[in-house]
Amino acid sequence: MSQSFSNTMSALRRARGLSQRTAAADLNISQALLSHYENGAREPGLDFVCRACRYYNVSADYLLGLTDVPTGSTAALEALTELTAALDAAADRARATLKDLGG
């Protein structure tokens, strides 16, 4: 596992003002194991990565250091939805303008 995973795990916990003890209890692991994950001494399994993503509300890509966008595709999907709505509204206005011009 990359160093960015351990750094990201630690940064997410600290950003939320959580102690290792609290985060470990919430993630259903020992404080010692969380410490090992955060300092890069141990690599987690897929089950833990999934739990950590849900706990910190981030994408696996973010947690694994593959992207700098914490929420991954959800944010991109919301942006595309907004863009689609804006384009639909613009198309409706263009059709109305053409109709008004007799076209």
Side-chain angles (χ1 to χ4, degrees):
M1 193 87 12
S2 71
Q3 188 65 21
S4 61
F5 170 80
S6 56
N7 291 338
T8 301
M9 280 291 296
S10 181
L12 286 168
R13 179 182 57 76
R14 291 170 195 250
R16 285 162 178 75
L18 301 170
S19 67
Q20 276 189 343
R21 181 180 306 266
T22 299
D26 291 346
L27 289 165
N28 200 30
I29 61 172
S30 70
Q31 180 181 352
L33 183 55
L34 181 59
S35 176
H36 288 304
Y37 290 161
E38 287 187 3
N39 68 31
R42 297 270 313 264
E43 293 183 2
L46 182 58
D47 178 63
F48 177 79
V49 171
C50 292
R51 265 186 288 149
C53 288
R54 284 190 298 272
Y55 181 69
Y56 290 117
N57 195 30
V58 297
S59 71
D61 283 350
Y62 180 78
L63 191 59
L64 298 173
L66 301 174
T67 182
D68 292 333
V69 180
T71 56
S73 62
T74 302
L77 181 58
E78 290 173 5
L80 286 173
T81 301
E82 290 176 19
L83 179 59
T84 300
L87 289 172
D88 286 344
D92 289 344
R93 287 191 302 274
R95 281 195 275 297
T97 300
L98 280 173
K99 185 176 179 181
D100 290 345
L101 294 174

